[in-house]
């Protein structure tokens, strides 16, 4: 019954050809998802046969990476089903533990462009198994925060890409208060946009800056007119540029 529904996981080839065959047919596996429990079960069984054997045809990280390829986004229906496939993987930590997913997403961050589903995946991880739409698991929060930090300091400048920035801000909000300090690593214009979306964050950031005595740091001086609000903008030296930090540089000491 299973193989009649999902014959694509049985490759007639070996080794590298087997991998190529499976990668080429993963879209067919994803297309089986229709929202029904039966097809979700078929998908979970297929991924287990592909990724969770002694000699996996694809590692879980490789499989998860394939789901974020552009070939999975050829139509609105395929994109919707790919999102469902990603959610099914996230909901199956036996095959796809958080550390493995994080490793796959870290690799995707090195491709030189923003995978379209990257931040949607982060949000799905953050809320998986949650009853109130907020993540609670400490290990999951740490993994997502690390990925969000890498996105913040990436040379790709996430705030310059509308869809990616939308995803970044929503993921940031889901992780609060753990993600709070990341707002201090974006340029002033991006920070203003973030505070416009989530006004309550302003007071939290000001409290943090004062508690850590950070006001004299060049980056904080540049951001302070935005942090303090328009009524205080003329009281701060605004000559320090708010250029985004390069990866690993220009960090604010907020630990």
């Amino acid at each position: 019954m299973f193989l009649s529904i999902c014959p694509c996981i049985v490759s007639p080839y070996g080794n590298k050809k087997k991998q190529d065959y499976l990668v080429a047919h993963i879209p067919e596996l994803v297309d089986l998802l229709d929202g029904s429990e039966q097809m979700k079960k078929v998908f979970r069984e297929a991924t287990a046969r592909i990724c969770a054997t002694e000699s996996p045809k694809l590692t879980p990280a490789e499989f998860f990476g394939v789901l974020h390829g552009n070939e999975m986004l050829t139509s609105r229906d395929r994109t919707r089903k790919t999102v469902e496939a990603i959610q099914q993987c996230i909901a199956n930590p036996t095959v796809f533990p958080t550390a493995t997913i994080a490793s796959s997403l870290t690799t995707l961050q090195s491709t030189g462009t923003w995978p379209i589903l990257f931040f949607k995946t982060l949000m799905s991880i953050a809320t998986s198994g949650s009853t109130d739409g907020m993540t609670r698991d400490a290990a999951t929060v740490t993994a997502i925060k690390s990925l969000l930090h890498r996105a913040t300091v990436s040379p790709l400048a996430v705030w310059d890409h509308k869809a990616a920035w939308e995803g970044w801000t929503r993921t940031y909000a889901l992780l609060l208060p753990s993600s709070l300090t990341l707002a201090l690593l974006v340029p002033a214009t991006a920070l203003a946009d973030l505070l416009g979306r989530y006004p309550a964050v302003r007071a939290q950031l000001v409290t943090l800056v004062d508690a850590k005595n950070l006001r004299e740091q060049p980056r904080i001086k540049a951001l302070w007119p935005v942090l303090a609000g328009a009524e205080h903008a003329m009281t701060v030296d605004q000559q320090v540029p708010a250029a985004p930090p390069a990866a690993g540089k220009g960090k604010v000491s907020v630990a």
Side-chain angles (χ1 to χ4, degrees):
M1 172 66 176
F2 169 78
L3 291 178
S4 66
I5 296 176
C6 187
C8 62
I9 70 165
V10 181
S11 168
Y13 307 109
N15 302 329
K16 183 64 171 64
K17 282 189 175 182
K18 180 185 292 185
Q19 273 198 344
D20 293 343
Y21 177 90
L22 279 168
V23 169
H25 286 78
I26 284 177
E28 295 177 24
L29 174 60
V30 169
D31 282 344
L32 293 174
L33 290 167
D34 58 6
S36 69
E37 290 303 316
Q38 180 187 9
M39 289 300 101
K40 289 177 182 178
K41 182 177 179 180
V42 168
F43 181 84
R44 289 193 297 268
E45 185 175 344
T47 55
R49 292 197 182 195
I50 293 170
C51 303
T53 62
E54 289 187 7
S55 299
K57 302 174 180 68
L58 289 173
T59 67
E62 289 170 337
F63 185 91
F64 202 74
V66 171
L67 292 180
H68 288 78
N70 289 336
E71 63 274 9
M72 303 303 301
L73 310 172
T74 53
S75 68
R76 179 172 296 182
D77 185 59
R78 171 69 62 74
T79 299
R80 178 182 58 78
K81 292 188 175 191
T82 300
V83 170
E84 184 178 354
I86 290 170
Q87 291 171 341
Q88 287 301 306
C89 292
I90 293 170
N92 186 9
T94 302
V95 178
F96 299 93
T98 298
T100 296
I101 290 175
S103 175
S104 180
L105 293 176
T106 298
T107 299
L108 289 173
Q109 284 184 303
S110 304
T111 60
T113 185
W114 290 113
I116 292 173
L117 297 180
F118 182 85
F119 290 103
K120 186 178 287 291
T121 295
L122 287 190
M123 288 185 279
S124 293
I125 299 170
T127 57
S128 178
S130 171
T131 58
D132 60 1
M134 300 296 288
T135 185
R136 294 288 183 269
D137 179 73
T140 299
V141 170
T142 298
I144 302 172
K145 182 181 176 183
S146 177
L147 288 162
L148 199 62
H149 179 271
R150 287 175 60 92
T152 308
V153 301
S154 168
L156 294 176
V158 63
W159 45 85
D160 286 339
H161 303 269
K162 184 177 180 181
W165 177 243
E166 177 71 25
W168 188 98
T169 59
R170 292 175 65 186
T171 307
Y172 175 88
L174 280 174
L175 288 188
L176 285 170
S178 297
S179 59
L180 182 64
T181 59
L182 296 182
L184 300 177
L185 298 178
V186 303
T189 52
L191 179 60
D193 180 74
L194 177 66
L195 297 182
R197 296 167 185 253
Y198 305 105
V201 171
R202 185 191 306 276
Q204 297 175 48
L205 287 172
V206 170
T207 298
L208 172 69
V209 167
D210 287 341
K212 299 284 187 178
N213 295 315
L214 300 176
R215 286 204 195 188
E216 295 307 310
Q217 290 196 10
R219 168 160 288 277
I220 302 304
K221 280 188 175 183
L223 295 176
W224 188 252
V226 176
L227 286 172
E231 65 274 18
H232 298 110
M234 298 306 295
T235 67
V236 180
D237 178 8
Q238 301 181 45
Q239 299 306 309
V240 181
K249 298 181 179 179
K251 295 180 180 177
V252 177
S253 301
V254 292

